[in-house]
């Protein structure tokens, strides 16, 4: 395979219920649309990406993690929002 995939789960359930969504920020700062917790993006070109999260009232925003996808990889990330 020449591509990778990414699945992001947001926790706790209260944050998900309050529309805790995520999106991928690609090279050059181009952002994908926001996705629901548990969503998977496939066929991603290998390389560096950053995750961004929708602001949720009553929750502190999480750190924007950087991810380095490799060909043939399937990354699953769980992100706590407090």
């Amino acid at each position: 395979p020449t591509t990778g995939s990414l699945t992001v789960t947001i926790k706790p359930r209260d944050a998900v219920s309050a529309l805790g969504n995520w999106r991928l920020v690609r090279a050059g700062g181009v952002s994908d649309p926001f996705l629901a917790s548990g969503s998977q993006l496939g066929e991603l070109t290998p390389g560096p990406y950053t995750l961004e999260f929708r602001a949720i009232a009553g929750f502190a925003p999480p750190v924007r993690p950087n991810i380095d996808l490799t060909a043939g990889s399937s990354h699953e990330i769980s992100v706590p929002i407090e």
Side-chain angles (χ1 to χ4, degrees), residues 10 14-15 17 29 33-34 44 52-53 69 71 81-82:
I10 297 170
D14 290 348
S17 298
F34 279 104
L44 295 169
E52 182 175 71
F53 301 91
L69 288 175
I81 297 180
E82 300 176 4

Side-chain angles (χ1 to χ4, degrees), residues 1-19:
T2 59
T3 61
S5 67
L6 174 67
T7 303
V8 177
T9 302
I10 297 170
K11 297 183 178 188
R13 183 171 299 281
D14 290 348
V16 175
S17 298
L19 295 177

Side-chain angles (χ1 to χ4, degrees), residues 38-61:
S39 295
Q40 180 183 56
L41 283 177
E43 299 187 27
L44 295 169
T45 304
Y49 295 91
T50 301
L51 292 181
E52 182 175 71
F53 301 91
R54 187 183 304 264
I56 306 170
F59 292 90

